[in-house]
Amino acid sequence: MFQPMALTFIFAMIGAMILCLTYVPMVSALFLRVPKNDKKSYGDKFVHWVERKYEPLLTKSLSKGKVIISVAVALFAVAIFAFTKMGGEFIPQLDEGDLAFHAILKPGSSLTETIETTTKIERIVKSEFPEVKTIISRIGVADVPTDPMPMDIADVFVILKPSDEWTSASSKEELLDKMKEAVSIVPGVNFEFTQPIEMRFNELLTGVREDVAIKLFGEDLDILASKAEEMGKIIASVPGVADMKVEAIDGLPQITVNYNRNKLAQYGLEINQLNSVVQASFAGGKAGVIFEGEKRFDLVARLKAENRTSINDIQNLFINLPSGAQIPLKELANISYEPGPMQISRDNTNRRTYVGINIRGRDVKSVVEDIQVRLDEQFELPPGYFLRYGGAFENLERASNRLQTVVPIALLLIFILIYFALKSFPQTLMIYLAIPMATIGGVFALWLRDMPFSISAGVGFIVLFGVAVLNGLVMISGLNELKEEGVTNLRDRIVEGTKRRIRPIMLTALTDILGFLPMAISSSAGAEVQRPLATVVIGGLLTSTLLTLFILPIFYQWVEKRSERKVKLNPNYVTATAIVCLLFTIPSAKAQEVASRMDTTIVQQESYPEIVLDSAVTMARQSYPSLQTGKLEIQRQNVLKASAYDLGSTQLFTGGEEIASGQGIYTLIGIGQQNIDLLSIGAKSDYKNNVLH
């Protein structure tokens, strides 16, 4: 479903990366010029204003880091709690603009009765609701029975006018409630309201037309029917259950013929003979074949229509006896109406029935959880019978399980890419904290807009995680650049680095927020699926940007202070300091002679200039004698590496040979190479490398 969006995003990012490395530098060199004046634009003024307001807030945040981090952790805990109470659904319900509902009559209703009932329903809807443009009913199946349906169920499709022409209702929910109340006066009919595409979509995915199906599996049809009715009574009172249907698997009236075997033996008749007579009389029996060209048709004979309409026609059916006399069938068998199975449904070869419900006013997940609680408390099943939940809830569970696999993989890949960019595990963890902070905004945004979690929102979280870490990467990279430039004061580095990165951070966040804003507020067709995704991204970017500007500098300050403490105790740096002191022993002795003639303070300032630790280590590496000796030895060994290759000696030679019959001399000139030592080159190279290292 979201594959086109993902592919579009991937190819757009690849194209942007290529353009940034090729087209943008070229165009910048051609068209960008140094401005002749220093007049600031409105954008520069706005950014400078933000920097002035941001700096004192950042300073206070750095001094109260523990309080701010505690508040962030508390908000994250509240967001997790809100997420658990949010509910969920597979995909948001689309507003198709039209309505559809099932008209379910009593089992065994004839086609004539179904037509009369649906016609009455159509007249009621058409007369009471001017919003209806067209209404049509479909009964039975087409010539190709890909969608089997009995004659006692009709699909009624209601095509509506544009919403600005509605008069009796202001919303689709209100219109649906009024329409349901209007058609409820038709006796003996149950209704299930849905939408045309949604009805087919549910049936194609899970085999049921309702939003949720509670499937009951077992062997005995009578037990399945009774338990399904009991389950329907329990479910009907759950809040959010709008329409409910218990699948009818029994109750179809059938004419049953039970033969009296004693009388059959008395009259000398056989059961197969009687079955053939009954079948030929009512269903038709083959009496011959008719040919029409190359086509062949069976000639079927049966009773007239008026003689096969009731049970009396079967009871009064005369049977020929071997003696030539006739006797009515009711003298040989007990003929009566008995309820029989209406249909037998199977899932994976297992018999099942189901209770289907449509949900309105609540999300699918919370309704199913309430149903599960009630069934666990009030519903008992015999051994060998079990329940399964299908429909939209089954799709939600399947998609949620898929997300539980995809999301950790995406998070791991993000972590690896950040680590490759920074080559620092602590800094990677700092940037990774943007993900829980972004989650806070995404969850609260869904909660404020009263949206349950859906697969659309889940995809939005995946998009958000990738975008949220980008600002953190920009911030940490800027702070590391200042550190390499020699800004050693930690507080100054943080303040200066964050002020430098305000512009790119704000641009990144604002462009993404403004890009998703039309999706978040859209009300066009299909916007129901887009809104949760855009809402999650916008809310998450707001909180992740605050993390980047305030919480991330706090963590950076803590990590850098800890690393500085480790540097002070590092034995390598202690050794380097001792070497520096040794190197300056001789210059300090000479300085003592001069110090007797000058003021002590001036001599100390000239003889011992202040240097930082990194400069001292650099000077020690350049001037310490043993290090210089080691460098010379390395150079000598590199020169000696060439001696490992012994290609021998080269010789030039000539020769002559007379050509037959005294026609001249054939002169040869050649080059030869002798004493080549190829096999020992590897061993000699290894030896030289070992000596070198």
Side-chain angles (χ1 to χ4, degrees), residues 335-351:
I335 304 172
S336 62
Y337 281 113
E338 291 186 7
M342 185 174 181
Q343 64 180 10
I344 300 176
S345 302
R346 297 179 183 271
D347 274 359
N348 296 326
T349 71
N350 295 321
R351 284 185 179 179

Side-chain angles (χ1 to χ4, degrees), residues 524-589:
S524 59
E528 293 84 358
V529 178
Q530 301 173 359
R531 279 199 291 263
L533 188 151
T535 300
V536 167
V537 174
I538 292 175
L541 283 177
L542 291 175
T543 54
S544 65
T545 303
L546 292 177
L547 160 80
T548 305
L549 295 177
F550 291 99
I551 299 180
L552 193 59
I554 295 173
F555 279 110
Y556 184 83
Q557 178 179 250
W558 291 353
V559 172
E560 288 297 310
K561 284 184 177 180
R562 184 178 179 183
S563 62
E564 287 179 359
R565 288 195 296 267
K566 289 184 177 180
V567 167
K568 291 179 181 179
L569 299 177
N570 195 322
N572 295 330
Y573 287 93
V574 174
T575 304
T577 305
I579 293 173
V580 173
C581 295
L582 180 62
L583 290 175
F584 282 92
T585 301
I586 298 175
S588 63

Side-chain angles (χ1 to χ4, degrees), residues 70-363:
S70 301
V71 173
V73 173
L75 288 175
F76 181 69
V78 173
I80 296 299
F81 177 77
F83 182 78
T84 58
K85 302 297 182 181
M86 187 176 295
E89 58 186 2
F90 178 50
I91 55 174
Q93 188 179 41
L94 295 175
D95 185 6
E96 301 176 19
D98 300 319
L99 292 175
F101 60 88
H102 304 302
I104 306 172
L105 282 70
K106 294 295 182 181
S109 299
S110 64
L111 177 61
T112 303
E113 183 180 359
T114 304
I115 293 175
E116 293 176 354
T117 303
T118 54
T119 303
K120 185 185 299 183
I121 294 172
E122 292 172 1
R123 290 173 180 172
I124 293 174
V125 173
K126 191 66 175 176
S127 61
E128 295 190 12
F129 299 97
E131 295 85 357
V132 177
K133 180 180 180 181
T134 306
I135 182 170
I136 187 172
S137 301
R138 185 178 72 90
I139 306 169
V141 298
D143 294 336
V144 180
T146 56
D147 184 17
M149 188 169 64
M151 294 297 176
D152 51 29
I153 298 179
D155 290 337
V156 183
F157 299 95
V158 182
I159 310 302
L160 301 176
K161 297 178 181 179
S163 57
D164 54 0
E165 300 180 14
W166 292 6
T167 57
S168 60
S170 58
S171 65
K172 192 173 182 180
E173 290 75 15
E174 183 182 357
L175 178 64
L176 190 146
D177 293 336
K178 290 184 177 181
M179 191 176 296
K180 186 176 182 180
E181 182 180 357
V183 298
S184 61
I185 63 174
V186 180
V189 183
N190 293 327
F191 298 95
E192 290 180 349
F193 283 82
T194 179
Q195 300 181 104
I197 299 177
E198 181 182 0
M199 177 179 64
R200 296 303 175 195
F201 186 70
N202 291 339
E203 187 173 16
L204 288 173
L205 286 178
T206 59
V208 295
R209 300 183 179 185
E210 293 77 18
D211 294 338
V212 177
I214 299 92
K215 300 179 181 180
L216 174 61
F217 292 86
E219 293 295 332
D220 191 281
L221 292 178
D222 295 333
I223 296 178
L224 288 176
S226 61
K227 287 297 180 181
E229 291 291 340
E230 180 183 352
M231 186 166 53
K233 294 177 181 178
I234 297 174
I235 294 173
S237 59
V238 175
V241 176
D243 307 313
M244 187 186 69
K245 170 192 173 184
V246 179
E247 185 183 34
I249 60 175
D250 64 352
L252 181 66
Q254 296 178 343
I255 298 177
T256 305
V257 180
N258 291 321
Y259 294 111
N260 189 331
R261 296 180 180 272
N262 293 329
K263 288 189 176 182
L264 293 181
Q266 178 182 350
Y267 289 105
L269 298 174
E270 296 181 359
I271 293 178
N272 59 348
Q273 296 176 350
L274 299 181
N275 288 338
S276 299
V277 173
V278 174
Q279 179 182 1
S281 300
F282 291 88
K286 183 178 178 181
V289 179
I290 298 176
F291 291 91
E292 184 178 332
E294 295 183 354
K295 298 180 181 180
R296 185 174 63 177
F297 304 94
D298 290 336
L299 178 62
V300 178
R302 62 179 179 178
L303 297 177
K304 294 182 179 181
E306 59 268 18
N307 294 327
R308 47 185 173 87
T309 57
S310 66
I311 191 173
N312 293 327
D313 295 327
I314 299 180
Q315 292 175 345
N316 296 326
L317 181 65
F318 285 94
I319 304 298
N320 294 323
L321 299 178
S323 61
Q326 291 184 329
I327 186 173
L329 184 60
K330 62 183 178 181
E331 298 295 334
L332 302 174
N334 181 22
I335 304 172
S336 62
Y337 281 113
E338 291 186 7
M342 185 174 181
Q343 64 180 10
I344 300 176
S345 302
R346 297 179 183 271
D347 274 359
N348 296 326
T349 71
N350 295 321
R351 284 185 179 179
R352 63 100 175 132
T353 184
Y354 76 92
V355 178
I357 59 174
N358 289 326
I359 298 174
R360 282 194 291 273
R362 292 185 66 188
D363 62 277

Side-chain angles (χ1 to χ4, degrees), residues 20-31:
C20 288
L21 297 176
T22 56
Y23 175 77
V24 173
M26 181 267 294
V27 174
S28 300
L30 290 177
F31 296 102

Side-chain angles (χ1 to χ4, degrees), residues 393-539:
F393 181 75
E394 181 182 4
N395 297 328
L396 174 62
E397 283 191 325
R398 188 183 300 115
S400 299
N401 293 333
R402 179 70 61 85
L403 286 178
Q404 291 176 3
T405 303
V406 173
V407 171
I409 294 175
L411 295 178
L412 178 62
L413 293 176
I414 292 173
F415 185 88
I416 293 174
L417 292 176
I418 298 173
Y419 181 77
F420 285 164
L422 297 176
K423 297 181 177 61
S424 172
F425 188 77
Q427 292 183 357
T428 303
L429 286 179
M430 281 191 293
I431 297 176
Y432 214 64
L433 290 175
I435 292 177
M437 293 300 106
T439 304
I440 294 174
V443 172
F444 283 152
L446 289 176
W447 178 72
L448 289 174
R449 300 196 67 183
D450 195 21
M451 293 181 178
F453 177 79
S454 61
I455 301 306
S456 177
V459 174
F461 276 110
I462 296 176
V463 175
L464 174 63
F465 295 159
V467 177
V469 299
L470 181 60
N471 287 337
L473 184 60
V474 171
M475 174 69 75
I476 296 299
S477 299
L479 296 176
N480 290 338
E481 289 176 2
L482 287 177
K483 184 177 180 180
E484 294 175 357
E485 292 174 1
V487 181
T488 57
N489 187 282
L490 181 58
R491 181 64 64 91
D492 294 341
R493 188 196 314 163
I494 293 175
V495 174
E496 182 65 24
T498 50
K499 288 174 63 177
R500 282 188 183 182
R501 297 301 180 178
I502 282 182
R503 185 190 297 268
I505 289 173
M506 290 180 57
L507 285 176
T508 303
L510 288 177
T511 51
D512 291 332
I513 290 174
L514 295 177
F516 281 98
L517 187 60
M519 295 173 59
I521 62 177
S522 175
S523 58
S524 59
E528 293 84 358
V529 178
Q530 301 173 359
R531 279 199 291 263
L533 188 151
T535 300
V536 167
V537 174
I538 292 175

